[in-house]
Amino acid sequence: MTPATRSVWRLGAGVVGLAFVLTAAGAVLGGPDDAPPAPTAVGAVVPGAAPGQRQSVRVLQDRLKARPQDAGAWAALGAAYVEEARADGDPSRYPQAGEAFTRSLGLRPDGNADALAGRAALAAARHDFPAALRDADQALAVNPYSERGLAVRIDALVELGRYPAALEAARQADARRPGIPVFTRLAYVRELRGDTKEARRVLELALGSASTRADVAYTATALGRLAWSQGGYDEALRQCGRALRAEPDNLEARECRARALAGKGDLPAAVEEFEHIVERSPLPGRLVALGELYEAGGRPGPARRQYEVLGTWAELARAGGVNPDLDTALAAADHGDRAAALRAARAEWQRRRTVHTEDALAWALHRAGRSEEALPHARAATATGYRDAALLYHRGMIERAVGERAAARASLTRALALNPAFSPLGAREARRALDGLEAS
């Protein structure tokens, strides 16, 4: 296995981390949010478990059979489809969501903040972030207190790489509608800017304000993920255990626990967790993570099958209107078609300039033998101060390839000091590269 395969764990930890922020706390259901809340209101977060969400879809479908002119119910149904797609990893629900929002706006074209905010969330789920920002702004023009509109606006700015604007949007949202969806986004923006201490503080405040099992599970998982990313595997297990006591089959919490178990070297337990997770929700990061765990355990056949499913997922994603280029670029760079990886990475980088798209383009260029061209993008990926071991690993390997040995040694040392088990394969490769640099 080449060094390129070592980056796929980041696809799980980074891109899935993004999806966690974008949807789990963003799709706030349970009725319109057109009235300003009390200042201390806590957002009602939709849990990750799918069964309850399916019940919501059925209830709304039954309601619309009796009242097909109910614009609010159509908007709520669209939001429920978006959440169902997230929970199941099934993008085929997105066209149904789009139709529901269209029906809602057709029935009430003016002042329909719920449908506009829902359509913004759908655009974000499809990775169409300019459209998400446009629709969120339109929703907020109607209702400045729309929780979903405020949340998606932050998401869109983050995913367009507009981090200072995202931080300001998070502060504005906190002033207008404080609650779990806003707190967790504020923490993520802080994390992207390298301020993990403040990110942790905000998440701890959010957890302290959590009033439902879903809120506890979501915020505890976010704390667990942050702890894992900084090498705190015991703390990650503690926080994810807390989340699972609140919601015993929360898939995000189980994924957090699986990564922490892998970090502590318990690969069999991590594999067992991921097998359960992938059976329920075969999202790209989860498929790749399980594949890497199989590889680390000497099972290349099962690993290869996990990677092959990624192609099927990408086809389903495109059919559902999702742009999977970032996922495609990372997977292709790691597992075969380097030309396709570079095309996808370039396309995504042209659309948005984020730490993740800079990293994907850097790695695809490196894998295509263009490390000199890759280096500025690898450095741009780490320029915000974002403390991510896989991004530092990529940078170090690229620096090594262009002969910048001292810089490579520094980047690889930082990666391993930050999160010594950021990937069961990548960390091993980083140590080998570092040993080679120090020996010669």
Side-chain angles (χ1 to χ4, degrees):
M1 187 57 60
T2 67
T5 62
R6 314 321 184 210
S7 74
V8 293
W9 195 260
R10 206 276 298 163
L11 173 60
V15 178
V16 169
L18 164 65
F20 180 76
V21 172
L22 285 179
T23 56
V28 182
L29 305 180
D33 55 2
D34 54 357
T40 57
V42 175
V45 181
V46 176
Q53 191 62 40
R54 294 192 184 97
Q55 183 179 9
S56 296
V57 168
R58 287 195 298 270
V59 168
L60 288 164
Q61 288 171 334
D62 290 342
R63 178 175 178 177
L64 285 164
K65 287 178 183 177
R67 300 173 59 188
Q69 303 304 307
D70 188 336
W74 280 111
L77 179 61
Y81 280 140
V82 172
E83 169 60 16
E84 187 175 79
R86 184 204 66 81
D88 289 348
D90 178 9
S92 67
R93 288 296 193 189
Y94 291 143
Q96 293 173 287
E99 291 171 7
F101 294 132
T102 298
R103 288 288 296 271
S104 180
L105 288 165
L107 290 165
R108 183 158 35 105
D110 297 321
N112 194 342
D114 290 336
L116 289 168
R119 194 170 69 179
L122 173 61
R126 284 173 155 169
H127 299 177
D128 185 353
F129 298 106
L133 181 59
R134 182 190 64 239
D135 284 339
D137 281 340
Q138 290 179 6
L140 292 170
V142 175
N143 172 19
Y145 295 91
S146 167
E147 187 170 54
R148 193 179 300 120
L150 290 165
V152 176
R153 186 169 192 274
I154 302 167
D155 294 338
L157 289 167
V158 165
E159 288 312 302
L160 291 170
R162 296 168 58 181
Y163 299 136
L167 179 58
E168 181 58 28
R171 287 169 172 161
Q172 291 175 353
D174 187 34
R176 290 183 190 177
R177 187 136 187 184
I180 302 298
V182 173
F183 295 157
T184 51
R185 283 164 171 81
L186 179 57
Y188 185 57
V189 175
R190 291 292 194 185
E191 182 184 352
L192 287 170
R193 293 165 66 89
D195 194 350
T196 54
K197 182 177 179 180
E198 179 64 10
R200 185 179 302 108
R201 187 188 72 82
V202 172
L203 287 174
E204 287 170 348
L205 288 173
L207 182 57
S209 72
S211 60
T212 69
R213 287 183 176 273
D215 288 351
V216 170
Y218 181 72
T219 52
T221 300
L223 278 164
R225 288 184 58 255
L226 181 61
W228 174 84
S229 73
Q230 307 302 298
Y233 309 130
D234 289 329
E235 174 64 9
L237 287 173
R238 188 178 75 82
Q239 293 291 354
C240 292
R242 185 173 187 175
L244 289 166
R245 286 193 295 275
E247 287 192 339
D249 204 28
N250 183 294
L251 294 186
E252 284 80 15
R254 293 193 68 162
E255 181 175 350
C256 169
R257 182 169 68 183
R259 294 183 187 280
L261 288 168
K264 288 180 68 66
D266 192 349
L267 299 190
V271 166
E272 184 177 355
E273 280 280 29
F274 267 115
E275 286 175 340
H276 171 86
I277 294 164
V278 164
E279 184 177 358
R280 290 271 305 279
S281 180
L283 290 170
R286 293 165 178 175
L287 291 165
V288 171
L290 180 56
E292 272 219 353
L293 286 167
Y294 282 143
E295 283 194 64
R299 301 170 64 188
R304 187 166 51 251
R305 287 192 287 275
Q306 297 302 312
Y307 304 144
E308 289 169 353
V309 175
L310 285 169
T312 303
W313 179 89
E315 292 174 5
L316 289 171
R318 290 190 180 93
V322 178
N323 167 27
D325 277 349
L326 184 57
D327 301 333
T328 300
L330 289 166
D334 293 339
H335 301 293
D337 192 338
R338 299 175 187 176
L342 187 52
R343 285 194 300 272
R346 283 197 185 282
E348 194 64 21
W349 184 78
Q350 290 294 336
R351 281 188 284 269
R352 52 193 178 110
R353 308 290 171 86
T354 72
V355 294
H356 298 297
T357 55
E358 294 281 8
D359 173 65
L361 180 56
W363 197 244
L365 285 165
H366 171 65
R367 289 290 290 147
R370 299 164 67 172
S371 299
E372 291 280 358
E373 190 178 347
L375 186 56
H377 295 289
R379 288 179 171 162
T382 56
T384 68
Y386 181 40
R387 292 166 53 81
D388 183 280
L391 268 62
L392 289 167
Y393 162 66
H394 286 172
R395 175 174 169 168
M397 296 300 284
I398 293 167
E399 288 167 338
R400 175 173 172 259
V402 301
E404 295 198 10
R405 300 174 62 83
R409 188 180 299 110
S411 295
L412 293 171
T413 299
R414 287 175 61 200
L416 291 169
L418 177 63
N419 187 354
F422 65 88
S423 157
L425 302 179
R428 184 170 65 195
E429 188 66 31
R431 290 189 183 91
R432 288 175 178 168
L434 192 56
D435 288 345
L437 287 166
E438 291 174 345
S440 58

